[in-house]
Amino acid sequence: MEYRTLGSSGLQVPVLSFGTSTFGGKGRFFSAWGKLNAIEARRMIDICLDAGANLFDSADVYSEGAAEEILGAALKGRRDRALIATKMGLPLGDGVADSGTSGQRIVAAVEKALNRLQTDRIDLLQLHGFDASAPIDEVLAAFDSLVQSGKVRHVGASNFSGWQLMKSLASSDKNGWPRYVSHQVHYSLVGRDYEWELMPLAQDQGVSAMVWSPLGWGRLTGKVSRHQSAPAGSRLDTVAHWGLPVNEEKLYNVVDLL
């Protein structure tokens, strides 16, 4: 396995990580992604660890927390062999306290994630998205308290725009707070917006990319072409309307070359 340094963190991570959105299968959206239980998940994690792919990415919103619970159970007894990345910030309910990235919610979300993951630390905590209602300084101050306490090692962002990421990095530099060392982004042959602004920003600021959906929500698996739509009942067929739009003609031009 090839390893690279994650941003400016000094943390060595594999070039291939394992996403856990297929764990649990709760809810209409995530049940279409997968319904792996703890036994099945442990087997998959065995394969990853044996191959040196020791970074596992999750989120509190994945199957209403079940993905984190299954990941924690599957890593029980071998936590030190793995790196855990998880995300928070997307709505988990309709209540006022169920969404956003206020400092209070960040701290509370981390405590709940630690319990679900059966661990005392999160190697990489990422905001699942930018919350315009939460002051950036409040967000980063909360991260600082979590890093200082040892509950979080490094912080990252996900799905930020260029100005959102740069403003956050500037605040971190000004106040001596933890910097985002990674940015989890949508990037594939049919989704290349990352290249325009975020990629040069990341190179300049030392922020590594953690790519989500490199196969374009399954469009680049070889199962979709001009003459073959997504199989009925597949993940793409079921939940594509919730994802980023893809120009079909550009898609097929790419697929024709594969």
Side-chain angles (χ1 to χ4, degrees):
M1 179 60 64
E2 180 183 346
Y3 296 86
R4 296 176 184 169
T5 303
L6 188 68
S8 57
S9 69
L11 189 67
Q12 295 295 303
V13 299
V15 294
L16 296 176
S17 61
F18 185 92
T20 64
S21 58
T22 59
F23 291 2
K26 287 187 177 181
R28 182 182 175 191
F29 182 85
F30 287 104
S31 63
W33 286 63
K35 301 177 182 179
L36 297 179
N37 59 35
I39 296 175
E40 294 166 325
R42 187 177 182 89
R43 175 56 183 152
M44 296 187 76
I45 288 174
D46 287 342
I47 295 171
C48 289
L49 291 175
D50 289 344
N54 65 336
L55 175 59
F56 302 95
D57 180 70
S58 195
D60 58 3
V61 75
Y62 291 174
S63 291
E64 303 168 11
E68 288 181 327
E69 292 176 350
I70 292 173
L71 176 60
L75 287 174
K76 192 171 183 178
R78 49 187 178 165
R79 170 66 179 90
D80 290 342
R81 293 183 59 193
L83 297 172
I84 293 178
T86 195
K87 299 179 290 293
M88 60 79 55
L90 295 186
L92 292 174
D94 297 327
V96 175
D98 294 331
S99 62
T101 60
S102 67
Q104 182 178 5
R105 184 167 191 248
I106 288 173
V107 172
V110 166
E111 293 295 340
K112 293 176 182 177
L114 290 172
N115 287 332
R116 288 191 292 264
L117 290 164
Q118 301 182 49
T119 186
D120 61 351
R121 68 195 183 281
I122 294 169
D123 297 294
L124 177 65
L125 176 66
Q126 306 154 100
L127 289 188
H128 217 149
F130 184 78
D131 175 14
S133 67
I136 289 175
D137 285 359
E138 179 180 332
V139 172
L140 296 171
F143 281 155
D144 184 58
S145 68
L146 291 166
V147 171
Q148 293 297 330
S149 69
K151 294 178 180 179
V152 171
R153 295 180 63 193
H154 304 286
V155 295
S158 180
N159 304 315
F160 275 34
S161 66
W163 77 263
Q164 293 163 352
L165 181 57
M166 193 64 242
K167 190 170 183 179
S168 299
L169 292 170
S171 180
S172 293
D173 291 342
K174 176 182 177 181
N175 295 287
W177 290 328
R179 291 180 108 247
Y180 292 137
V181 299
S182 64
H183 187 199
Q184 193 164 138
V185 295
H186 177 236
Y187 186 39
S188 74
L189 290 175
V190 292
R192 297 177 61 180
D193 289 351
Y194 175 66
E195 296 174 356
W196 293 102
E197 180 180 40
L198 288 167
M199 181 182 285
L201 187 163
Q203 184 177 25
D204 178 72
Q205 292 294 312
V207 179
S208 289
M210 291 183 63
V211 176
W212 62 265
S213 200
L215 292 178
W217 280 48
R219 295 178 176 89
L220 302 177
T221 59
K223 299 178 181 179
V224 177
S225 69
R226 292 182 186 274
H227 310 294
Q228 177 62 54
S229 58
S234 67
R235 182 191 312 177
L236 180 61
D237 177 60
T238 306
V239 301
H241 60 286
W242 279 318
L244 296 175
V246 172
N247 181 292
E248 287 196 1
E249 184 58 31
K250 288 185 178 179
L251 165 66
Y252 297 139
N253 286 339
V254 171
V255 171
D256 287 347
L257 297 174
L258 296 179

